[in-house]
Amino acid sequence: MKKILTALCGKTPQIVTEALYALHEQGRFPSRVVILTTEEGRELCSTQLLHPEHGRIARLLADIGLNPDSLSVTEADIFTPRRRVADIVTEEDSRAFFELCLETVFSLARDHGTELLFSIAGGRKTMSAALALAAQCYARPQDSMFHVLVPPELESKPDFFYPAPPFAEARVTLTPIPFFRMRGQLQPQLLHSPASLEELSQVCMPQKPLEVELDFVHRSLTCEGRSLALPPALFAVYAFFALEKAVCPDAAELCPHGCRACAHAWADIEPRLGEMLNLYQQVETKALARGTSGILNLSAENFRSSLAKLRKLLVQAFGENIGMRLSIVSERRGGAASYALRIPRGQIRIVPQRCER
Ligand SMILES: [Zn+2]
């Protein structure tokens, strides 16, 4: 079976040659390497690993007595997040890397004739968490995960790439990492295309459904016995998405994650700002908001910042897990981001009851 080393790399490309060396010792040398990294990592991998003569991979092949053609690694085997990520320093960077891992592992695992060897060594800890999560979702029975251990005194040596003079005595150990295989639990539609983190979290952590009450009199949101009163503009944005649930298909099994009916891109929302203003007027009886940041002048940018403020208030009031589930989420698949509330319509109660939508 064709083995593919799927390796993380931060700023030390040696982690890749160390893994290759150890796999060769175990008689499990791969015929392809896929490297998941950042822009900085890509730069280091191409200068240190790839050169067909002086690159460390070519030298490793020569040193262990393998034909130079037995493993060719090119720029096309180095994967980085679609959005330019130099290093992982923000939440957005980390999220982009999670998406990269989910998409890459999803596609690699589609070929049933391969065995994936996941190396979670290298890179920041968020990167290891991302690759491990992707493997848990998509790994098949033949796939495996490991961490690479090298003696501590060699970890910081920039010229140690694998045991060879002057480090011929060094040992590189691959330690297997056990993990749960969720692939068999995924609904078939989640194996047709790469799923978002939100979709997968529904499957991997089945949780008690949330019942939400949206109160137009008190401008509040109540869930799990706790209430949060919202500023009028944020309440209007939230109510807009809650009322959108009316268009969800009746048997909306998918509504908590994949439903398209209640998800909208900014281009669909902008022409409907009048509806949001209408909701605003129902809860703000004083003068209309003045200034350019008011609900009357919502732009794509301050719409996104409203969603961020909402999420912050929800997390403060309900905790990270429930707060995030109650938030208006943005999902990006290919084109523009679309926004939706992922609570099915049967679990949302609007008070006082409304006869129109
Ligand atoms: Zn829906």
Side-chain angles (χ1 to χ4, degrees), residues 28 84 187 197 248 256 296:
R28 300 164 74 205
R84 244 188 95 79
Q187 293 157 293
L197 277 175
C248 294
L296 282 168

Side-chain angles (χ1 to χ4, degrees), residues 244-245 247-249 252 254-256 259-263 341-344:
E244 278 309 287
K245 303 310 264 188
V247 299
C248 294
L254 271 173
C255 198
C259 175
R260 290 272 151 261
C262 51
L341 172 61
R342 287 316 190 189
I343 305 284

